[in-house]
Amino acid sequence: MSLLSDLINLNLSDDTQKIIAEYIWIGGSGMDMRSKARTLPGPVTTPAELPKWNYDGSSTGQAPGEDSEVIIYPQAIFKDPFRRGNNILVMCDAYTPAGEPIPTNKRHAAAKVFSHPDVAAEETWYGIEQEYTLLQKEVNWPLGWPIGGFPGPQGPYYCGTGADKAFGRDIVDAHYKACLYAGINISGINGEVMPGQWEFQVGPSVGISAGDEVWVARYILERIAEIAGVVVSFDPKPIPGDWNGAGAHTNYSTKSMREDGGYKIILKAIEKLGLKHKEHIAAYGEGNERRLTGKHETANINTFKWGVANRGASVRVGRDTEKAGKGYFEDRRPASNMDPYVVTSMIAETTIIG
């Protein structure tokens, strides 16, 4: 008699050319990830080979019941770390039957920015530091924290080791390997300042692919946490008080910034970001005012300031960039629940197109 695990782990390629494609899209809240699977006749290598599909938008808060059909367009393909073999994950964006992007489709506008000749010529690179908090499912309280109580103060948990400091490492490491398997350019992980909080980094990724990779990395994390019976929170300040919030620091460079003399280009870009501080803050994630207080390694939400090696700044420039006279900078304002399509394209639009 087969065990359930035996059937889940069946290698389909031994007996059929058919593959399973898991279509992924973003739901009505702008943060909820939805997906469903379909069978395809054989392996595919590009999104262009995949059929469009549809879903009931009235059940995701994206369409009325009397006209509920939403069409999803395949945009990026990744290997499926859950089904493995030739099976794939497919990142999609959503449109009306008439071909218009629905309001929650932020990828469409971002793709327009990245296809602008001036932006394309600059080969924008992004490195996104995605922080998140693991919660105990039944009580909605951070993993490793006593129910109804608090752990010891912050200090020993950042990059910490040991059963009393690192909570959920099995989930974090499984996610790391699954992302590498999928083909996501995940570049690292670490435990964060608040216990139960972790971070993974995606990049350097070019243009629109940064958004695709962050969203699929989030999807894989949610799926692994689902298996583990743990909840993933992207809330920018999950626990009030003297605890660090969760952000999505966005490291950014252009071709001009990476070349000799690039430091001057970096300073001009930071100046442009400062002039549009309010517009960026409005687009950098909900609830960010609870995180950007001027404490816990943040700048106040109403103030724009930059500095070299200053983790209390809105924008930080690294010592190595200052010394080399070229490189990249870090926008520390985005919240953990930001939309990477919005943030990456907005930074490019402000600093390049103007």
Side-chain angles (χ1 to χ4, degrees), residues 136-213:
Q136 303 169 59
K137 186 175 71 170
E138 305 301 333
V139 293
N140 208 39
W141 199 239
L143 200 65
W145 289 36
I147 296 174
F150 296 87
Q154 295 183 155
Y157 309 108
Y158 172 70
C159 298
T161 56
D164 58 342
K165 302 178 192 71
F167 310 117
R169 191 187 295 275
D170 52 348
I171 295 170
V172 174
D173 217 37
H175 175 248
Y176 194 178
K177 290 182 178 180
C179 285
L180 286 171
Y181 176 92
I184 292 168
N185 195 21
I186 187 169
S187 48
I189 58 166
N190 61 267
E192 269 302 331
V193 178
M194 189 183 86
Q197 188 185 88
W198 294 82
E199 173 184 302
F200 65 87
Q201 302 95 32
V202 169
S205 301
V206 181
I208 197 72
S209 65
D212 291 335
E213 292 186 17

Side-chain angles (χ1 to χ4, degrees), residues 57-348:
S58 69
S59 295
T60 63
Q62 294 169 296
E66 64 273 13
D67 187 14
S68 66
E69 191 169 279
V70 177
I71 313 299
I72 42 178
Y73 293 20
Q75 299 291 0
I77 292 175
F78 300 87
K79 292 172 65 179
D80 186 340
F82 303 102
R83 296 187 176 106
R84 286 166 283 188
N86 291 320
N87 303 301
I88 54 174
L89 304 177
V90 184
M91 188 65 206
C92 305
D93 59 353
Y95 296 80
T96 67
E100 294 296 320
I102 66 172
T104 51
N105 179 356
K106 306 302 182 184
R107 190 187 193 281
H108 181 79
K112 283 187 174 180
V113 171
F114 287 117
S115 63
H116 188 287
D118 294 347
V119 176
E122 283 290 356
E123 298 174 14
T124 54
W125 289 7
Y126 297 91
I128 297 173
E129 306 171 27
Q130 176 68 71
E131 294 179 337
Y132 59 94
T133 308
L134 298 175
L135 304 177
Q136 303 169 59
K137 186 175 71 170
E138 305 301 333
V139 293
N140 208 39
W141 199 239
L143 200 65
W145 289 36
I147 296 174
F150 296 87
Q154 295 183 155
Y157 309 108
Y158 172 70
C159 298
T161 56
D164 58 342
K165 302 178 192 71
F167 310 117
R169 191 187 295 275
D170 52 348
I171 295 170
V172 174
D173 217 37
H175 175 248
Y176 194 178
K177 290 182 178 180
C179 285
L180 286 171
Y181 176 92
I184 292 168
N185 195 21
I186 187 169
S187 48
I189 58 166
N190 61 267
E192 269 302 331
V193 178
M194 189 183 86
Q197 188 185 88
W198 294 82
E199 173 184 302
F200 65 87
Q201 302 95 32
V202 169
S205 301
V206 181
I208 197 72
S209 65
D212 291 335
E213 292 186 17
V214 170
W215 273 117
V216 175
R218 285 174 173 177
Y219 173 82
I220 291 172
L221 178 60
E222 293 272 19
R223 286 280 306 273
I224 290 171
E226 173 189 319
I227 295 167
V230 171
V231 173
V232 179
S233 171
F234 293 104
D235 189 291
K237 186 73 173 179
I239 305 296
D242 197 18
W243 304 98
N244 273 37
H249 301 157
T250 301
N251 299 276
Y252 170 71
S253 71
T254 64
K255 186 178 180 183
S256 298
M257 294 175 190
R258 297 187 293 269
E259 293 175 346
D260 289 344
Y263 196 66
K264 290 182 180 179
I265 307 297
I266 289 172
L267 296 183
K268 287 179 183 177
I270 293 172
E271 183 181 359
K272 291 177 180 179
L273 288 174
L275 293 173
K276 292 190 174 182
H277 177 62
K278 287 185 178 179
E279 293 94 323
H280 279 254
I281 286 294
Y284 274 16
E286 290 188 22
N288 213 7
E289 71 283 351
R290 293 182 282 117
R291 167 181 163 260
L292 297 180
T293 61
K295 300 177 180 178
H296 305 109
E297 301 181 31
T298 69
N300 186 278
I301 195 167
N302 298 311
T303 304
F304 182 87
K305 62 178 182 178
W306 75 276
V308 176
N310 182 359
R311 295 185 183 276
S314 312
V315 171
R316 181 184 68 87
V317 175
R319 292 278 182 209
D320 52 348
T321 294
E322 182 188 43
K323 184 177 180 181
K326 58 183 177 181
Y328 70 97
F329 64 83
E330 174 192 43
D331 191 338
R332 298 178 59 81
R333 297 171 295 172
S336 50
N337 60 1
M338 64 83 160
D339 187 323
Y341 293 134
V342 172
V343 169
T344 56
S345 60
M346 196 172 194
I347 292 173

